[in-house]
Amino acid sequence: MKTLFEASRINGMELPNRFVRSATWEGMATAEGEVTPRLIETMTRLARGGVGLIVSSHTYVSPEGQATPWQLGIYKDELIPGLKKMAEAVHECGGRIVLQLAHAGAFAVESLRDHPPLAVSNYEGLAESPRREISLQDITELVAAFADGARRAKAAGFDGVELHAAHGYLLSQFFSPLYNRRKDAYGGSTSNRARIGLEILSAVRESVGSDYPVLMKMNGQDYSRDGLVREESVQMAKLLEEAGLDALELSGGLLKSIKTSPSRPRIDTVQKEVYFREDARLFKRELNIPLILVGGIRSLEVAEELLEYGEADYIAMSRPFIREPDLISRWKAGDRRRAECTSDNLCFAPGFKGDGVYCVTREREAAQIS
């Protein structure tokens, strides 16, 4: 039987345990997307804290795909030296790190660009301001941008890459009938909507080789009217598995939603944990590649159950590590208390002010004690 603290491998990448830090936006890069000492320290604290695999903050593969200010970039070779320092620092602490490749599509930050964001389908009600519908030439360039990003990640020494196809970002927009209303080869049927993901996976493979870990994060479902449903999502996942995907991180929901967003608030009881559990059960029945499950996991006992019942192969968390980067070491040492994270989502607000993401609640508690 699998255990949480056993070693394992994903396409040759050796991992010391089955805990994964799921990617988030830290708001700690420079305005040009460069690595900063603070961002390196954030990653090394996770490695020192016992996280088996760190997934970097989502990195934009091209300038028009930037989702948030102070977001990490992977869109030009000049960024490689800083990224190399990050990867080396994590490795020196005994950690493993993969770089997440992303493009925001229709939800790119407009204030940083002088042209409209790209939309899979430009329809009335998509956004309050103009969008430009992606052309076939744009698709060719997007595929190349992801492949170049993977090449740069490998050159920088990262242990693998993860393609971000969740939460309503670009690839998620292609996968979802809510956003994808195209009439060409990239719209309509499930296989057509999965096409760009398959093309990007193929291009990335050609760029990095067959023995380099390539993961994908995708929605089990959008939890939104007319959005992606789990039956279609698992069909797409099976196509990606057949095309050579090494592991799948399963998430869900759209950033525009509150109740069913990827970062649901107030996960304050065991009963509210693992809100993508039903989706995971279906994916585990249908897939043979490792399944990484994220979404409201806060208890060691729950994580153990997921492995014991065969509902996941790896346990991913994000917000708990913002408050407790050493959570895994604490659990391994025998302190089995739930993660201290209260899921109040206050941690993201400082990022938009240029202060970087941190646990606001913990800072307030510390101030009260002092």
Side-chain angles (χ1 to χ4, degrees), residues 18-209:
R18 293 185 176 273
F19 288 103
V20 176
R21 184 269 198 168
S22 192
T24 191
W25 164 71
E26 297 94 357
M28 298 178 187
T30 70
E32 296 299 315
E34 300 161 308
V35 170
T36 61
R38 188 179 176 197
L39 195 48
I40 291 176
E41 174 61 18
T42 296
M43 298 300 166
T44 55
R45 288 182 68 192
L46 291 166
R48 293 193 302 268
V51 176
L53 175 62
I54 300 165
V55 184
S56 77
S57 47
H58 61 163
T59 62
Y60 55 104
V61 297
S62 54
E64 84 283 348
Q66 186 175 355
T68 45
W70 305 293
Q71 180 186 356
L72 194 61
I74 191 67
Y75 61 93
K76 59 182 180 180
D77 287 355
E78 288 78 4
L79 297 171
I80 294 176
L83 290 165
K84 187 174 183 180
K85 290 180 181 179
M86 176 190 287
E88 288 177 343
V90 169
H91 291 156
E92 288 172 1
C93 296
R96 295 288 179 267
I97 184 169
V98 304
L99 191 78
Q100 189 183 77
L101 308 174
H103 190 293
F107 302 113
V109 57
E110 296 178 67
S111 61
L112 300 179
R113 306 293 164 218
D114 57 2
H115 47 74
L118 295 175
V120 173
S121 299
N122 193 15
Y123 55 88
E124 185 177 352
L126 173 62
E128 295 180 358
S129 55
R131 297 290 184 268
R132 181 170 71 82
E133 187 162 299
I134 295 171
S135 67
L136 294 180
Q137 179 60 37
D138 291 326
I139 289 175
T140 299
E141 294 173 0
L142 286 166
V143 171
F146 274 90
D148 283 341
R151 171 185 58 79
R152 295 182 185 112
K154 186 175 182 180
F158 282 79
D159 298 293
V161 292
E162 182 180 72
L163 309 176
H164 194 353
H167 306 164
Y169 288 119
L170 178 69
L171 299 187
S172 176
Q173 291 164 30
F174 269 99
F175 289 177
S176 173
L178 174 63
Y179 298 112
N180 186 345
R181 306 182 186 186
R182 301 177 69 93
K183 304 299 182 183
D184 59 10
Y186 293 91
S189 68
T190 301
S191 57
N192 276 3
R193 282 181 278 122
R195 188 182 303 275
I196 193 170
L198 294 166
E199 291 181 354
I200 288 174
L201 176 59
S202 176
V204 166
R205 269 284 170 240
E206 187 173 347
S207 178
V208 299

Side-chain angles (χ1 to χ4, degrees), residues 117-321:
L118 295 175
V120 173
S121 299
N122 193 15
Y123 55 88
E124 185 177 352
L126 173 62
E128 295 180 358
S129 55
R131 297 290 184 268
R132 181 170 71 82
E133 187 162 299
I134 295 171
S135 67
L136 294 180
Q137 179 60 37
D138 291 326
I139 289 175
T140 299
E141 294 173 0
L142 286 166
V143 171
F146 274 90
D148 283 341
R151 171 185 58 79
R152 295 182 185 112
K154 186 175 182 180
F158 282 79
D159 298 293
V161 292
E162 182 180 72
L163 309 176
H164 194 353
H167 306 164
Y169 288 119
L170 178 69
L171 299 187
S172 176
Q173 291 164 30
F174 269 99
F175 289 177
S176 173
L178 174 63
Y179 298 112
N180 186 345
R181 306 182 186 186
R182 301 177 69 93
K183 304 299 182 183
D184 59 10
Y186 293 91
S189 68
T190 301
S191 57
N192 276 3
R193 282 181 278 122
R195 188 182 303 275
I196 193 170
L198 294 166
E199 291 181 354
I200 288 174
L201 176 59
S202 176
V204 166
R205 269 284 170 240
E206 187 173 347
S207 178
V208 299
S210 61
D211 58 350
Y212 191 70
V214 180
L215 294 66
M216 179 178 284
K217 184 175 189 175
M218 69 180 293
N219 279 2
Q221 53 183 313
D222 288 346
Y223 294 94
S224 182
R225 178 184 291 183
D226 299 324
L228 183 68
V229 296
R230 68 167 70 119
E231 291 76 15
E232 289 185 316
S233 185
V234 78
Q235 289 178 37
M236 293 178 177
K238 290 169 74 173
L239 292 172
L240 291 158
E241 178 183 45
E242 292 169 4
L245 189 69
D246 291 314
L248 181 78
E249 182 180 1
L250 187 64
S251 187
L254 303 172
L255 293 174
K256 68 174 186 176
S257 174
I258 297 177
K259 291 184 178 179
T260 59
S261 76
S263 303
R264 298 184 188 180
R266 294 181 294 280
I267 310 303
D268 49 13
T269 66
V270 170
Q271 290 73 25
K272 293 181 182 180
E273 294 190 35
V274 206
Y275 36 80
F276 303 130
R277 194 169 200 163
E278 289 300 319
D279 297 341
R281 287 169 177 162
L282 175 61
F283 275 70
K284 279 297 293 175
R285 287 197 301 267
E286 297 291 335
L287 299 181
N288 296 309
I289 56 175
L291 184 72
I292 304 166
L293 181 58
V294 71
I297 301 168
R298 299 290 182 269
S299 304
L300 184 59
E301 292 80 3
V302 170
E304 290 171 335
E305 283 182 6
L306 290 168
L307 256 64
E308 180 182 351
Y309 298 158
E311 296 169 330
D313 300 292
Y314 292 88
I315 308 302
M317 295 176 283
S318 182
R319 287 173 291 170
F321 293 134

